[in-house]
Amino acid sequence: MPDDGEARLVHVGSLASLAEEGRRLVKVGRKQIVLFHGDKGVFACNNRCPHEGFPLMEGSLAEGCVLTCNWHNWKFDLDSGETLVGGDSLRRYPVQLRGDEIWLDVADPPPAARAAKALDSLRDSFRRHEYDRMAREISRLQRSGADPLDALRGAIGWTHDRLEFGTTHAHAAAPDWLALRAGLAPEAPAALVPLVEVVGNLAWDTLREPAYPYAEGRAAYEPEALVEAIEQEDEARAVALLRGALAEGLAFSDLERPLATAALAHYQDFGHALIYVYKTGQLIDRLGPTVAEPLLLALLRSLVYASREDLIPEFRAYGGALADWDGKGRRPVEAADLTGLAVPQALARTLESSADTRALFDALLGAAAWQQLHFDLERQDRSEQPISQNVGWLDFTHAITFGNAVHVLCDRYPELWPSGLLQMACFLGRNARFVDPELDVEGWAVADPAAFFEAAFAGLLDHGAPEYIVSCHLVKLLTAVREEVAAAPEAAWVPSLLAATRRFLESPLKRKHSLRTAHQAAAFTAIED
Ligand code: FES
């Protein structure tokens, strides 16, 4: 099939016979093309409706050139090519009349034009978050010969300034989805899933959002100044420093240390900040430098806006513990020492073992795994309780994914170990209230880790979770667990972490609490005036 835009004319019969028949289906190679004889002339288009592929030969023609597909009432102007009702555009074929004979130009547009059209249409699908259309447009992009990852690159660029608070789970889960895709045959339909998940998530996160532009201007980059600007919650200054760094040719790897430092400067955003730093770097690695600026801008914004939980009473002991860290605590530690302690006690116990950061990390991660394995599921169903007692699975999975980010980034920047480990202790202290130590967990043991991971990752491709935040946590947790197990397959916490992951995957996940919301709204408003 020519792909250089050169005309490829085929004869498809006489005008007189088409006028008599009104419409006609012709086959040209693999193409099914339907011809219409309308009041406004002869038109030719793909017989397959671009929505779900039903035959337009069975459609209704009105006003001489408006074709309705009767399956779902999409309408196409065959003259202008516009989709009047619906989404995807209909492929039309130029018609030439030579006397009484009809000729069609069936040449395909050049690949670059097809790719550009698919990306334009993908962007248009964001207006209504049309998930199935996104799958079609990304598939069309791939069929044009373009890199399907361009869909992600485009989506990141279109959406980064519509994220009011910066980076979301869409960015954070993206490298994990792409890692999953890398294990599939690129042309397999399943390989579309990770792409559509990320693009759809970005579309959802920015649905009906206006632009929140980033400040213009540059400042001479200094790592300490970047950390300080984030600490001061000065987005404009942080952005100027970032732009200065990029203008100097610095890459993410040059910026990772100050970004990780800022992310760990507080126990903040329930661990999201550090996870976002780790995953932003991975995503830039996968998609290339063209996405560095939009991703870094969004990341900076999320760091600036991060809530600083160490400033609230529950975690206020964190600052003092960090100041007391001397790296000389030599008391042996294991997971069981940490699972049932409140925040101040968990911090104090962590300090007692500060000399051996690896042993401490193992104990903290093991404790987080044990807590997830023993999460008292009854707690996620309670309705009559104060907001401070709200808890769900994602509180536990975050402790694991945060631990994974601590492991990777503190290994790279060892001066961050005290912050990372003490913040892991904060997670433990918070979640200790919501576990049942007596729970019978024998049945969750994972006998064959390799088979478990294979089945769990395969299941992700058809996860069925309507909320992106859930599918993000599924892929992020599984990826983090696999990374940690691969890094330390003999660690004492491996069985517990695998069992905890299995229990999470196979247990109910309550995400909407109508009655709880009502109770808490009524209780709160009753005392606010
Ligand atoms: S298949 Fe044509 S409108 Fe749905």
Side-chain angles (χ1 to χ4, degrees):
M1 188 69 63
D3 62 3
D4 55 4
E6 286 289 308
R8 189 162 82 89
L9 295 176
V10 294
H11 179 235
V12 290
S14 71
L15 182 59
S17 60
L18 180 64
E20 199 172 308
E21 297 163 18
R23 59 187 63 187
R24 179 186 302 155
L25 188 65
V26 298
K27 292 191 177 173
V28 181
R30 292 175 59 243
K31 296 179 190 298
Q32 279 191 25
I33 300 172
V34 60
L35 297 167
F36 293 97
H37 187 281
D39 298 344
K40 293 189 178 173
V42 175
F43 301 101
C45 65
N46 191 349
N47 183 43
R48 299 293 174 200
C49 177
H51 178 213
E52 289 187 352
F54 289 105
L56 290 170
M57 179 72 178
E58 305 300 329
S60 303
L61 195 64
E63 301 169 36
C65 64
V66 175
L67 174 65
T68 297
C69 176
N70 293 315
W71 269 265
H72 309 99
N73 207 38
W74 283 26
K75 295 184 188 298
F76 309 95
D77 185 327
L78 295 178
D79 196 13
S80 69
E82 198 180 342
T83 298
L84 303 171
V85 176
D88 317 37
S89 55
L90 176 63
R91 170 77 194 274
R92 295 175 304 144
Y93 295 88
V95 175
Q96 286 186 19
L97 296 179
R98 296 178 179 173
D100 190 47
E101 302 306 319
I102 307 171
W103 292 75
L104 297 185
D105 180 359
V106 298
D108 290 319
R114 292 173 62 192
K117 187 170 183 182
L119 284 173
D120 279 351
S121 194
L122 178 65
R123 187 171 191 174
D124 188 56
S125 74
F126 278 37
R127 288 184 300 121
R128 292 190 294 243
H129 180 258
E130 297 164 294
Y131 187 90
D132 54 347
R133 182 177 174 197
M134 292 175 202
R136 292 192 294 273
E137 301 300 2
I138 297 173
S139 182
R140 288 174 184 131
L141 178 70
Q142 182 162 3
R143 292 187 61 76
S144 77
D147 181 355
L149 296 186
D150 283 348
L152 266 66
R153 297 184 182 103
I156 287 167
W158 307 330
T159 56
H160 76 291
D161 63 352
R162 292 179 184 272
L163 297 166
E164 185 176 4
F165 303 111
T167 297
T168 70
H169 283 294
H171 294 160
D176 299 343
W177 279 119
L178 293 179
L180 176 58
R181 182 177 181 274
L184 304 170
E187 66 282 356
L192 275 177
V193 174
L195 304 178
V196 184
E197 278 293 311
V198 180
V199 169
N201 197 345
L202 288 167
W204 181 255
D205 286 350
T206 54
L207 189 64
R208 292 189 279 277
E209 287 285 351
Y212 305 97
Y214 295 94
E216 297 297 334
R218 277 184 208 156
Y221 172 68
E222 290 287 343
E224 299 78 13
L226 182 62
V227 175
E228 181 59 18
I230 294 169
E231 177 64 26
Q232 295 303 320
E233 303 183 39
D234 185 345
E235 180 182 316
R237 169 92 175 131
V239 165
L241 290 160
L242 170 67
R243 293 194 196 283
L246 295 175
E248 282 178 35
L250 299 186
F252 179 87
S253 56
D254 302 307
L255 303 170
E256 188 177 64
R257 174 172 251 140
L259 291 171
T261 302
L264 282 173
H266 295 270
Y267 178 58
Q268 59 187 1
D269 253 7
F270 211 53
H272 288 83
L274 193 72
I275 295 168
Y276 288 174
V277 172
Y278 177 33
K279 294 299 171 178
T280 296
Q282 287 187 325
L283 188 54
I284 293 170
D285 282 347
R286 287 214 171 254
L287 296 179
T290 58
V291 296
E293 181 169 335
L295 287 177
L296 280 163
L297 286 168
L299 178 62
L300 272 191
R301 179 173 279 174
S302 71
L303 294 176
V304 165
Y305 275 102
S307 57
R308 297 165 179 189
E309 284 101 17
D310 54 332
L311 303 182
I312 62 178
E314 184 177 2
F315 302 107
R316 206 168 277 160
Y318 168 76
L322 185 61
D324 289 343
W325 181 285
D326 60 8
K328 296 177 181 168
R330 301 203 173 275
R331 187 176 172 193
V333 65
E334 55 187 40
D337 299 327
L338 296 160
T339 51
L341 304 178
V343 172
Q345 288 73 32
L347 290 166
R349 182 65 189 85
T350 301
L351 285 177
E352 290 176 16
S353 305
S354 61
D356 185 344
T357 52
R358 180 66 222 192
L360 195 45
F361 174 80
D362 282 337
L364 289 159
L365 186 67
W370 183 94
Q371 287 186 338
Q372 183 172 305
L373 182 57
H374 290 80
F375 173 34
D376 180 359
L377 273 180
E378 187 265 336
R379 299 301 300 245
Q380 76 168 347
D381 290 327
R382 286 192 191 173
S383 297
E384 296 184 50
Q385 62 179 11
I387 288 174
S388 60
Q389 297 296 305
N390 290 357
V391 67
W393 273 114
L394 305 191
D395 295 283
F396 289 89
T397 65
H398 254 295
I400 306 292
T401 48
F402 177 73
N404 173 237
V406 165
H407 176 200
V408 173
L409 291 173
C410 294
D411 257 0
R412 274 181 210 156
Y413 313 111
E415 74 276 12
L416 297 178
W417 271 117
S419 307
L421 294 170
L422 288 169
Q423 291 183 27
M424 289 178 74
C426 287
F427 271 100
L428 295 180
R430 205 260 169 178
N431 288 339
R433 288 175 287 163
F434 309 117
V435 300
D436 176 2
E438 305 304 322
L439 209 62
D440 178 4
V441 298
E442 287 292 307
W444 299 111
V446 172
D448 183 343
F452 170 72
F453 282 123
E454 187 176 338
F457 277 102
L460 276 178
L461 296 170
D462 196 24
H463 58 73
E467 281 186 292
Y468 287 109
I469 190 172
V470 173
S471 48
C472 283
H473 278 79
L474 290 171
V475 73
K476 281 165 60 225
L477 178 71
L478 273 172
T479 304
V481 170
R482 186 167 62 179
E483 277 183 23
E484 289 304 318
V485 171
E490 305 302 327
W493 42 258
V494 167
S496 182
L497 184 57
L498 291 171
T501 305
R502 180 180 170 197
R503 181 170 179 244
F504 165 61
L505 294 179
E506 298 180 19
S507 298
L509 176 61
K510 186 171 181 179
R511 287 286 304 158
K512 187 170 181 180
H513 298 84
S514 310
L515 192 55
R516 177 191 290 176
T517 303
H519 273 292
Q520 292 176 345
F524 175 67
T525 56
I527 56 171
E528 72 179 354
D529 49 23

